[in-house]
Amino acid sequence: MATISVPLEQLQPKVKRPGLGQYLRWSVDHKIIGVQYAVTALIFFLIGGALALGIRWELFTPDLDFMADGTAYNSLFSIHGTVMIFLWIIPMFGAFGNYLIPLQLGAKDMAFPWLNALAFWLIPPAGIFLLGGYLVGQTEAGWTSYPPLSTLFSGDGQTMWAMSIHLLGISSILGAINFIVTILNMRPEGMSLWQMPLFCWALLATSFIVVMATPFLAGALTLLLLDRVGGTAFFDANRGGDVLLWQNIFWFYSHPAVYIMVLPGMGVVSEILSVHSRKPVFGYRMIALSSMAIALVGFMVWAHHMFTSLQPELRIPFMITTMIIAVPTGIKIFSWIGTIWGGKIRFTSAMLFALGFLSMFVIGGISGVMLAAVPFNYQVHDTYFVVSHFHFVLFGGSVFSIYAAIYHWFPKVSGRMLDERLGRLHFALTYIGFFFTFFPMHWVGMLGMPRRVAVYAPEFQSWNIVIGIASFVLGFSTLILLYNMAWSWSKGRVAGANPWRALTLEWATTSPPPAWNFDEDPVPFEDPYGYGTEAAQAYLDAIDRAFGLPDAASDALPRTGSTPLSPAPAAGD
Amino acid sequence: MDMSRQNNQSSNIVPSIPTIAIFLAIIVGGAVVLSTFAPILLPPQASVQAQRTDGLFTVLLLLGGVVFFLVQGLLVYSIIRFRVRPNDVSDGPNIHGNTTLEIVWTIIPAIVVVVLSILSFVVWQANSTPQDNVNLVEGKPMKINVVGARYAWSFEYITPQERPLAEGETLTEGQEAPRVSFASNQLHTYVGQHVKLDMNTRDVIHSFWIPAMRLKQDVMPGRTTELRFDPIATNSGFEYRLDEEGREVRLTPEQARLSKEEAAAQGLTNRYTKYRIVCSELCGSGHGQMYAYIYVHEDEEAFLANFYNPQVFAALNPPDDPVLKGEAILRSGAYPCANCHILNSLGWVGVTGPSLNGIGERAGRRVGGLNGIEYLAQSIHLPNEYLVPGYAAGQMPYFGYSAQAPAGHSPYNVMPESDLIGIIGYLCAQVESGNLNDNTCGLVFDDDGMLADSEATIAQIEAVTATYRSLYE
């Protein structure tokens, strides 16, 4: 592997983007499927976001005045949570996984293209089914759907909810099997597991979780459906059932599901921090292994969601396992700081969101450790403190990393750059809107405001007004991103094959890539993050020579390295 | 690889000793300052358990603050110090890791979480170790049962006092004499009492939370859970007292903070303070309205005088008059009506159900063919038979004579026929015109506002309620 590999010697002809019709039809091309996933997820993100703003609008006052009744309010946050988890974050990472894994591995497609398409096409009907609950009396039991509220009391929308999640679970499992087989079998010659991009490592760990945990969700949902429509009594204490049974099985899936939603984001951040600070990932092996450690320990902590209902003697053991999971998470955070430390940080929009991820996710991590401490948990369990905590993890973590990924990989998908000025505006509004929406919730929760209430004690109103205003700033910021994507899709600056001068293989082909991804089998660079070496410069220059540079390459972002080839200038300020 | 260049760059990225010292000072200083905020981030500390929990919280905030300022500080430092300079197109140094550093940042967090686990365990154990002598009243223990029902809490007190046998009631051999018991929608305790609650639910999962006590425990169908705590006086003292007519008076902060002796000298006896009890597990449309209050009296004497003794007296001397009896039942909170209905005479402010103000005037005109008593009985017993316009079926729970629901009706709450008679009597007396005889139930009142003939009224109502007995055969 000592030779410097030049992937392609000749300039590629420009590749046309697939037409709209191809995106609306059944396709087995992983790139089409990736975009289908992304657009579907973004639509649901807008729906979930609108529901969230409905929640905040109701909470501007302590009384029930915006929604018709308590049930309508309850279905608002039930569907908000379900949509955001199952129809936005999970499918959105499915989008990046589908689009990027074959490209990062230098493969022509996923291992099972047909299965891949099937996994996607289960999502739109499931989403329609979920929202269709509004036609028959929507669920009001929250996304956690604890019985007996969800079995004996909630409307028929609850049945549709359970069937919808069933479909989405099948979709997840099919997708995950595909990822695992692709990653383990389709790496190119010269790429061992330890030379694989960290995004692939993250998706590998995620997929193991999906394959092991999701069947438990399916089991729980089956029991719930049987209780609702089959006359059984698994969760009906009056007929010999047990309400804790649901909580145990549900969280046995749903805690690992948190890592299903966060690990891919961690993979994204590992990529972006390295590329945009022009420095190798610090502690590559530790980051890869900590993903696996989180995946493993993540299966032993589920009952920390049940500290106020679990048998008292079981609470301390679950506190200990929960505390342990802070260690691999800490390793990642410190490794990311090590990655940017001493680098040449470029404040691209992708990088801003990756740095924003770091600074917000760590707050979610700290509140997570606080929540693990059983005596303190009693005070804040099922309050706005918890709402704040998981939004720092799932918005400050997952969504920030999704935004970063959109700015980073949009040029590969569309062949065009997103507008950087709009990107910075988007980041500023998102960061401020997010922080002031969710940070004050810690305090509100500790002082005594439970979650999932439409009516609350008047002393909490002032904070809820602050939170409400910030949430509308946050909601507005999303529109900037969507406008940017729509505008840049046709009018953005031409990206070229490798606008960020990144070393992973998805950049060693045209943007967008041809239907078969690579004209010749690409040869990976020996180190996916080997920035700062002359060999890496030579490899990147060879990509530029092979695919050419767009005309206006230098206008907004100076390219790293020099073209044509010359020795890299010495470091200096 | 150009080693000299790499070494040159590596040396540039290690900050100087003064920089590190300033950085550490900011982290530690920031965390210490942050941890002093602990008291204002939490409600008053109204139990021994709250004091211990808050001690743990201060440690969590201190260590969380260190991590927060460390990570954000490193980020800000990196962003400023390592930002790319204009026209610099070079890469950063080719550094892949540092084993020593990686071991350090694995071991230190591991030690921190071990310490936190141990501290949490110690606090948890201290807070959950059972106290002897719980719920003492005049040296004898009583039992306090908490019942959660959509959407109200009720508290059943089984006192140590024996009660006389009711007419026709007999004791089998070995059976303990029955105790005086009463129900309330308020939880009363006093400083120095060790409280133990046995908790159940009538319907779905609820969660019993007293933010001021830092306690939370779910109540679940099919299980009895328990909660223990020891109320204490807070820095703000006792903010309320009952005046001679039994009305609540809010004291000034100075009056509230006086010692017991000083307050007594000023005639401010019978002081207490109260905190919200919240339901924190989603239980349905009225979840946000499901709360109650815990009253902490300043000592046992005040507890006895203002709560316990009057309740025991009322339990031993139930009124014959169905209107008064109904009022006592509804006031006790044994049924969760207050959380959905408005009724000014009892101070109910619920909003999810129809208003009950003046219901006695409307009852007989609601449904053709039903007189006022028949309408009220049906509305409580089989509430979905007639729905007030604007309200949906299923919002009002059934209240039947036994837990075994009649065919087609479920889920079910129990309301004995004797309670139903009293409640109907009381609701019939709710008129807004000022003349009780404007009621449409046919109840006759004399000039004092009392029933002209209690026994006849009971018979009149019972004639209606008796017709539901056949549902349970």
Side-chain angles (χ1 to χ4, degrees):
Chain A
M1 272 315 302
T3 55
I4 299 159
S5 313
V6 179
L8 293 165
E9 286 298 342
Q10 291 186 336
L11 233 65
Q12 289 298 308
K14 282 207 170 170
V15 175
K16 283 220 159 165
R17 290 196 298 225
L20 182 66
Q22 278 179 270
Y23 290 113
L24 298 173
R25 281 200 298 270
W26 176 276
S27 166
V28 292
D29 179 344
H30 74 99
K31 297 185 294 302
I32 304 265
I33 295 171
V35 174
Q36 287 172 330
Y37 263 103
V39 172
T40 309
L42 278 165
I43 290 169
F44 282 109
F45 182 42
L46 282 180
I47 295 171
L51 294 169
L53 294 181
I55 294 171
R56 291 318 319 178
W57 190 263
E58 172 61 60
L59 293 178
F60 272 122
T61 62
D63 295 324
L64 184 77
D65 35 28
F66 173 56
M67 297 306 291
D69 55 32
T71 310
Y73 177 79
N74 290 354
S75 67
L76 204 57
F77 64 72
S78 301
I79 302 303
H80 162 73
T82 309
V83 164
M84 289 303 201
I85 290 167
F86 292 105
L87 289 164
W88 156 239
I89 296 181
I90 293 178
M92 195 61 191
F93 281 126
F96 288 112
N98 271 298
Y99 201 96
L100 293 173
I101 286 176
L103 284 170
Q104 289 198 325
L105 299 181
K108 289 186 167 57
D109 206 317
M110 299 284 281
F112 307 118
W114 193 90
L115 208 60
N116 204 15
L118 178 64
F120 166 72
W121 283 104
L122 289 173
I123 292 174
I128 292 165
F129 220 67
L130 179 72
L131 298 175
Y134 276 108
L135 302 175
V136 296
Q138 189 53 284
T139 170
E140 57 154 331
W143 86 275
T144 52
S145 288
Y146 278 11
L149 183 62
S150 60
T151 48
L152 300 177
F153 292 85
S154 191
D156 286 340
Q158 186 77 55
T159 306
M160 293 176 73
W161 175 90
M163 293 168 81
S164 164
I165 308 297
H166 244 320
L167 280 181
L168 293 167
I170 295 168
S171 164
S172 283
I173 293 173
L174 296 180
I177 291 171
N178 216 343
F179 288 157
I180 293 172
V181 176
T182 306
I183 290 169
L184 294 183
N185 289 304
M186 297 178 68
R187 275 171 288 114
E189 218 173 301
M191 187 192 286
S192 72
L193 273 179
W194 294 113
Q195 289 164 313
M196 194 164 73
L198 283 168
F199 180 73
C200 294
W201 266 109
L203 263 287
L204 185 62
T206 306
S207 301
F208 280 130
I209 301 177
V210 171
V211 169
M212 289 192 286
T214 315
F216 286 86
L217 176 69
L221 290 169
T222 304
L223 300 186
L224 187 84
L225 279 169
L226 283 172
D227 264 19
R228 282 190 64 85
V229 300
T232 57
F234 292 107
F235 308 126
D236 185 352
N238 293 328
R239 293 194 287 146
D242 186 355
V243 294
L244 277 186
L245 176 65
W246 166 267
Q247 296 183 18
N248 275 304
I249 317 177
F250 178 81
W251 287 114
F252 191 78
Y253 162 78
S254 291
H255 189 80
V258 174
Y259 301 111
I260 294 174
M261 290 183 274
V262 168
L263 283 177
M266 292 174 159
V268 164
V269 166
S270 304
E271 300 276 331
I272 290 174
L273 290 177
S274 171
V275 171
H276 295 259
S277 58
R278 312 307 305 165
K279 201 166 150 282
V281 168
F282 196 94
Y284 169 96
R285 273 178 190 246
M286 287 298 268
I287 288 188
L289 287 175
S290 62
S291 292
M292 289 298 170
I294 289 173
L296 187 70
V297 185
F299 275 97
M300 303 173 200
V301 303
W302 80 90
H304 71 216
H305 296 269
M306 304 159 54
F307 278 159
T308 62
S309 56
L310 192 69
Q311 293 88 328
E313 61 275 18
L314 291 175
R315 294 175 188 178
I316 294 299
F318 279 102
M319 173 183 84
I320 293 168
T321 52
T322 306
M323 291 272 186
I324 289 171
I325 216 162
V327 175
T329 312
I331 290 173
K332 279 184 188 286
I333 287 175
F334 290 120
S335 300
W336 288 324
I337 292 172
T339 303
I340 61 171
W341 190 269
K344 300 286 172 80
I345 300 176
R346 288 157 180 277
F347 298 104
T348 56
S349 304
M351 187 63 168
L352 289 176
F353 274 107
L355 294 168
F357 167 99
L358 251 182
S359 77
M360 292 296 105
F361 182 76
V362 74
I363 296 175
I366 293 167
S367 59
V369 171
M370 291 176 136
L371 277 165
V374 177
F376 180 67
N377 181 284
Y378 291 163
Q379 177 67 1
V380 289
H381 181 93
D382 259 324
T383 69
Y384 265 87
F385 188 94
V386 173
V387 176
S388 174
H389 162 71
F390 66 70
H391 280 95
F392 269 92
V393 173
L394 293 181
F395 200 122
S398 306
V399 179
F400 270 56
S401 65
I402 287 171
Y403 285 164
I406 288 174
Y407 285 99
H408 188 70
W409 281 295
F410 184 88
K412 179 52 61 183
V413 177
S414 69
R416 305 220 174 223
M417 308 297 288
L418 281 168
D419 185 79
E420 280 293 320
R421 280 198 317 187
L422 282 176
R424 283 194 292 272
L425 179 65
H426 173 222
F427 171 75
L429 289 181
T430 304
Y431 193 83
I432 293 166
F434 169 78
F435 185 82
F436 286 101
T437 300
F438 294 106
F439 199 76
M441 287 183 185
H442 287 118
W443 197 4
V444 177
M446 282 191 281
L447 285 177
M449 182 165 165
R451 64 193 280 211
R452 296 172 165 173
V453 293
V455 176
Y456 57 87
E459 65 254 36
F460 303 125
Q461 188 179 11
S462 46
W463 276 119
N464 275 292
I465 291 173
V466 173
I467 292 168
I469 293 169
S471 72
F472 278 85
V473 173
L474 183 59
F476 174 73
S477 74
T478 314
L479 301 181
I480 300 176
L481 172 69
L482 295 178
Y483 172 77
N484 197 350
M485 289 170 76
W487 185 86
S488 303
W489 184 265
S490 54
K491 303 235 174 68
R493 194 158 51 79
V494 172
N498 191 4
W500 314 118
R501 282 179 67 87
L503 286 166
T504 43
L505 279 181
E506 76 270 31
W507 304 104
T509 184
T510 55
S511 303
W516 51 93
N517 289 352
F518 302 93
D519 281 335
E520 287 175 31
D521 287 345
V523 180
F525 187 62
E526 57 189 353
D527 173 357
Y529 307 105
Y531 303 104
T533 61
E534 281 171 18
Q537 290 287 356
Y539 183 88
L540 294 170
D541 289 340
I543 292 176
D544 282 350
R545 275 200 308 276
F547 298 101
L549 286 174
D551 302 333
S554 60
D555 64 2
L557 293 166
R559 292 176 66 81
T560 56
S562 46
T563 308
L565 264 182
S566 68
D573 297 341
Chain B
M1 192 187 300
D2 184 338
M3 289 306 290
S4 65
R5 181 158 68 91
Q6 190 199 329
N7 289 341
N8 180 26
Q9 289 191 339
S10 308
S11 63
N12 281 344
I13 64 173
V14 178
S16 63
I17 300 291
T19 313
I20 296 174
I22 293 169
F23 191 72
L24 287 178
I26 291 173
I27 291 169
V28 174
V32 170
V33 170
L34 185 67
S35 66
T36 63
F37 281 101
I40 65 158
L41 294 174
L42 289 162
Q45 244 174 24
S47 70
V48 174
Q49 288 71 18
Q51 292 177 317
R52 296 197 195 105
T53 301
D54 291 3
L56 175 66
F57 173 65
T58 308
V59 175
L60 289 170
L61 202 57
L62 184 71
L63 291 173
V66 168
V67 176
F68 177 84
F69 288 112
L70 175 69
V71 173
Q72 309 291 3
L74 289 172
L75 261 178
V76 170
Y77 181 86
S78 308
I79 285 169
I80 296 169
R81 173 84 172 71
F82 303 117
R83 69 186 190 281
V84 71
R85 302 307 195 277
N87 302 321
D88 181 358
V89 292
S90 66
D91 283 356
N94 187 259
I95 300 169
H96 284 86
N98 179 316
T99 311
T100 317
L101 258 182
E102 288 169 46
I103 290 172
V104 167
W105 70 45
T106 307
I107 301 264
I108 290 181
I111 293 171
V112 170
V113 298
V114 167
V115 170
L116 285 181
S117 297
I118 293 170
L119 278 177
S120 303
F121 173 70
V122 169
V123 171
W124 176 81
Q125 206 184 27
N127 278 357
S128 50
T129 303
Q131 295 273 3
D132 294 333
N133 303 323
V134 293
N135 302 343
L136 289 190
V137 190
E138 297 174 309
K140 288 185 201 146
M142 63 176 172
K143 190 161 187 287
I144 307 178
N145 294 321
V146 177
V147 180
R150 307 205 307 168
Y151 302 98
W153 296 105
S154 67
F155 304 93
E156 187 194 8
Y157 299 78
I158 299 168
T159 74
Q161 275 172 265
E162 288 183 13
R163 71 165 165 81
L165 294 180
E167 217 176 307
E169 192 179 7
T170 51
L171 285 185
T172 55
E173 212 175 294
Q175 190 183 348
E176 277 187 41
R179 305 289 180 82
V180 174
S181 67
F182 56 87
S184 170
N185 55 6
Q186 301 163 348
L187 177 58
H188 285 255
T189 177
Y190 58 86
V191 172
Q193 194 180 35
H194 303 307
V195 182
K196 172 176 179 272
L197 306 174
D198 291 288
M199 310 200 294
N200 281 295
T201 171
R202 283 220 188 95
D203 36 49
V204 300
I205 301 174
H206 303 278
S207 190
F208 183 91
W209 179 30
I210 311 175
M213 309 272 181
R214 317 286 189 272
L215 296 165
K216 190 177 287 142
Q217 170 63 46
D218 289 8
V219 295
M220 288 170 282
R223 287 162 198 262
T224 298
T225 49
E226 66 168 51
L227 198 61
R228 293 162 179 273
F229 58 97
D230 308 302
I232 55 169
T234 68
N235 295 334
S236 0
F238 300 92
E239 294 162 306
Y240 303 89
R241 68 180 290 264
L242 290 182
D243 67 9
E244 285 60 35
E245 276 143 43
R247 284 177 308 212
E248 182 171 283
V249 178
R250 177 139 205 175
L251 301 177
T252 65
E254 293 74 35
Q255 289 173 326
R257 278 195 287 267
L258 294 174
S259 75
K260 201 192 299 180
E261 291 73 25
E262 289 167 335
Q266 295 186 21
L268 300 171
T269 50
N270 297 340
R271 290 187 305 170
Y272 60 86
T273 190
K274 59 181 180 180
Y275 306 104
R276 226 174 225 258
I277 299 168
V278 182
C279 174
S280 65
E281 181 64 61
L282 176 63
C283 56
S285 61
H287 172 48
Q289 285 114 297
M290 182 165 172
Y291 62 86
Y293 285 95
I294 174 170
Y295 290 70
V296 181
H297 296 270
E298 86 186 297
D299 52 24
E300 187 175 4
E301 208 180 323
F303 167 80
L304 291 172
N306 294 310
F307 175 69
Y308 184 79
N309 289 340
Q311 290 279 359
V312 170
F313 180 84
L316 287 171
N317 303 285
D320 293 330
D321 183 318
V323 176
L324 295 180
K325 191 178 173 205
E327 178 176 2
I329 293 166
L330 291 177
R331 270 197 199 284
S332 77
Y335 302 102
C337 322
N339 283 62
C340 302
H341 293 287
I342 293 177
L343 184 52
N344 293 345
S345 56
L346 294 178
W348 294 357
V349 292
V351 290
T352 50
S355 166
L356 296 178
N357 289 331
I359 184 67
E361 290 162 301
R362 291 192 297 275
R365 292 197 284 268
R366 277 276 201 222
V367 183
L370 292 186
N371 68 31
I373 294 172
E374 287 165 341
Y375 170 73
L376 287 170
Q378 177 186 287
S379 297
I380 296 169
H381 210 92
L382 300 171
N384 291 342
E385 296 291 308
Y386 169 78
L387 297 170
V388 177
Y391 297 91
Q395 279 186 297
M396 166 94 180
Y398 290 93
F399 292 91
Y401 296 160
S402 86
Q404 186 61 45
H409 299 300
S410 130
Y412 225 73
N413 296 283
V414 178
M415 181 186 284
E417 191 178 349
S418 58
D419 282 8
L420 181 61
I421 291 170
I423 290 169
I424 291 173
Y426 182 74
L427 292 177
C428 283
Q430 300 307 306
V431 295
E432 286 180 316
S433 68
N435 181 359
L436 284 168
N437 285 319
D438 285 349
N439 76 76
T440 53
C441 298
L443 268 53
V444 182
F445 292 86
D446 60 24
D447 293 343
D448 304 334
M450 302 300 287
L451 279 173
D453 184 344
S454 293
E455 282 185 24
T457 303
I458 292 173
Q460 197 184 343
I461 300 175
E462 196 174 354
V464 174
T465 57
T467 59
Y468 289 115
R469 287 179 202 157
S470 62
L471 287 173
Y472 303 90
E473 282 159 7

